[in-house]
Amino acid sequence: MIDRDGGLLREAKAGDRAAFEQVLLRHERRVLVTALHLLGRWEDAQDAAQEVFVRLHRYLGRFDDALDLAPWLYRMTVNVCRDIGRKRAAHDELDPNAADPGWGPERSARSAEERRILEAVLRRLPEKERAALVLRDLEGLPTREVARILGSSEATVRSQVSSARLRILKLTERFRRERI
Amino acid sequence: MSCDAFEKSLALDAGGDLTPAEAARLEAHLEACAPCRELARAIQESQAALKVLSQEDALEEDALAAWRRRVMARIEGEPRRRVLGWRWAWAVAAAMALLAVLTAPQLLRRTPPVPPVGQAVPPAAGMPNGLPQPPRPPVPVVHRHPRHRRAPAPAPEPLLVKLETPDPNVVIYWFVERKGN
C-alpha cells in the first residue's frame, strides 16, 4: 500500500472508471484485511471497505496526485470501522465458531482454534488500542505513521500499543484456561 | 524501579519499539529479574502468534471479485460531485446559516391567524366580475369542554444538517432550531 498512485488517480479524477478500478485492485486487500482485523467479521469488513472506496471516489477531486493514498485509506478505514463497530457492538458478540467465507482453504486449515481466540481477543480491546495495535503490529506501520493516521502523538500510540500487547497476552491466557 | 514499571517496556520491546537507552535499562533489569524474563518470553510468544494473523491475507478470489463488482456498481450509481475548495465550502455554509437566520422569522410570521371558534367572519369583497359573493355557510359554533382541550404539541426536534468534508476527520453538524406553531 506504499506505491504512488498518481497516474491512476489523475485518470480516475478525469472520469476514467477503469483507472479507478485499478486503484481499487491495488488497495482492496489491505483495506479489507485491516477492516477485518478491526471488526472481526467478514461481512462487516466488506461493508466497511466498500464505504471506504465509495468515499474515495466521492472525494477524488480533493487528492493531490503527488501524495501517497495509503495514509488516507488507512485513516478512512479506521473511521468507518469505528462507526460500524459501534453500531454492531450493541447487539452482538463475536461467535468464535463462526465460519468465515471470505478466507481461502489455506487459512481454514491452519490452527483455526488459535486464530479464533486471537480474533476474539482483538475484539475485546478498547477501540483506540485496537486501532493502534492493528496498524502497528498487523499492518507493520511505523509508530510515527500510526500516530499520523490516528491523529494522535507518538507517545500516545506507544502507550496504546504497549497496553494492547499486555491485554492480548492476559486475555489469550484467560481464553485458553476457559476452553480447557 | 519495580517490576510493574518495566511491564510497559517489556511490551514495547516485544515489537522493537524501545529506544537504545530504554532497551539498555530493560536489559539490565532482566538480568536480575527472573519473573520479568518469564513475562518477556510470554509477550514475545503472544506477539509471534499475533503476527500469524497479519500474514494470512489469502482472501478467496471469488469472494473478492464479487465484492469488487458490488463496489463498482455502487460507484457507477453515484453521480460525480463537484468538490468545492475549503474556502468555498465555508462560504456556502456561512451563507446558508445567514439565510436561515434572516428568513426563519418571516416564514414563521407568515402563518395566517386562525379566527377563534365562533367568531363572525368578516364580509367578503365582491367578485371580480362585480357580482356579489355567494353566501357562505354559517360557521358552526362549537363549545368545547375545557377537559377536552388538547395538550400543547411537544417542541419540534431541531433540524440536523450534516455537511461532510473531504477530510474524514472533519464533519460539520449544523443544528437549526425550529419554533413551534
Side-chain angles (χ1 to χ4, degrees):
Chain A
M1 211 143 132
I2 301 301
D3 305 340
R4 301 272 184 220
D5 302 280
L8 285 174
L9 279 178
R10 242 190 324 276
E11 289 164 24
K13 272 186 204 178
D16 185 340
R17 302 277 169 158
F20 185 81
E21 194 163 2
Q22 285 304 309
V23 175
L24 181 67
L25 275 164
R26 189 178 279 198
H27 296 284
E28 63 189 9
R29 283 178 186 272
R30 282 297 95 194
V31 171
L32 275 162
V33 168
T34 304
L36 183 63
H37 290 150
L38 288 168
L39 293 167
R41 202 193 301 263
W42 173 239
E43 290 79 14
D44 291 345
Q46 287 182 90
D47 289 349
Q50 182 180 105
E51 186 60 29
V52 168
F53 284 105
V54 166
R55 289 189 195 183
L56 170 65
H57 182 261
R58 202 176 281 165
Y59 297 123
L60 264 179
R62 284 244 130 227
F63 284 99
D64 181 347
D65 302 338
L67 294 179
D68 186 10
L69 188 56
W72 187 93
L73 283 173
Y74 274 126
R75 189 159 56 244
M76 187 55 85
T77 305
V78 169
N79 288 352
V80 169
C81 288
R82 185 188 53 212
D83 292 346
I84 290 179
R86 283 177 185 171
K87 282 178 200 160
R88 300 285 191 274
H91 66 84
D92 60 9
E93 261 294 298
L94 188 71
D95 176 4
N97 298 313
D100 217 339
W103 297 108
E106 182 195 357
R107 183 184 193 266
S108 312
R110 270 190 276 156
S111 59
E113 173 77 0
E114 197 64 17
R115 207 166 25 250
R116 282 179 191 140
I117 289 175
L118 280 168
E119 283 167 355
V121 164
L122 268 180
R123 280 270 289 191
R124 279 164 177 75
L125 291 179
E127 189 180 283
K128 288 182 177 174
E129 284 184 15
R130 184 167 64 234
L133 183 101
V134 165
L135 294 177
R136 176 74 190 98
D137 287 353
L138 298 182
E139 292 302 310
L141 300 177
T143 302
R144 184 183 305 164
E145 184 69 10
V146 176
R148 205 157 69 88
I149 289 167
L150 298 180
S152 56
S153 68
E154 286 186 51
T156 302
V157 169
R158 269 165 61 96
S159 173
Q160 287 167 339
V161 164
S162 70
S163 174
R165 286 173 186 162
L166 289 168
R167 268 187 225 271
I168 283 180
L169 173 65
K170 287 167 189 169
L171 283 168
T172 309
E173 284 174 352
R174 205 179 79 194
F175 261 79
R176 286 192 187 119
R177 271 201 308 275
E178 286 171 3
R179 283 184 166 242
I180 290 170
Chain B
M1 271 175 96
S2 70
C3 291
D4 285 350
F6 281 102
E7 253 196 3
K8 186 181 167 187
S9 295
L10 285 170
L12 287 172
D13 188 46
D17 292 318
L18 288 181
T19 63
E22 289 168 334
R25 263 200 306 278
L26 178 65
E27 190 63 33
H29 175 76
L30 286 177
E31 278 179 19
C33 183
C36 279
R37 279 201 300 276
E38 179 56 27
L39 180 59
R41 187 196 56 74
I43 296 175
Q44 298 279 2
E45 278 181 16
S46 166
Q47 279 296 105
L50 192 66
K51 289 279 191 288
V52 172
L53 281 182
S54 68
Q55 291 156 8
E56 294 184 344
D57 45 8
L59 296 172
E60 270 183 4
E61 193 48 50
D62 287 353
L64 204 53
W67 171 85
R68 196 181 305 126
R69 279 195 298 276
R70 284 199 298 278
V71 176
M72 289 308 292
R74 197 173 148 195
I75 284 168
E76 295 289 337
E78 283 230 333
R80 279 295 299 275
R81 290 204 289 182
R82 182 177 154 76
V83 181
L84 298 172
W86 267 111
R87 286 180 188 171
W88 277 105
W90 281 111
V92 168
M96 285 170 69
L98 186 64
L99 190 67
V101 168
L102 292 175
T103 56
Q106 289 169 5
L107 285 173
L108 289 169
R109 245 183 273 133
R110 207 178 288 170
T111 311
V114 178
V117 175
Q119 184 179 310
V121 177
M127 298 288 278
N129 57 6
L131 294 171
Q133 187 89 352
R136 285 167 181 254
V139 178
V141 178
V142 180
H143 296 285
R144 288 190 179 169
H145 195 278
R147 274 185 303 179
H148 296 303
R149 238 178 241 162
R150 285 160 59 185
E157 292 278 314
L159 182 69
L160 173 64
V161 180
K162 183 179 175 183
L163 298 172
E164 288 191 3
T165 69
D167 185 337
N169 290 320
V170 180
V171 177
I172 300 167
Y173 286 99
W174 178 28
F175 287 92
V176 180
E177 199 170 305
R178 292 187 291 187
K179 294 185 179 172
N181 289 329

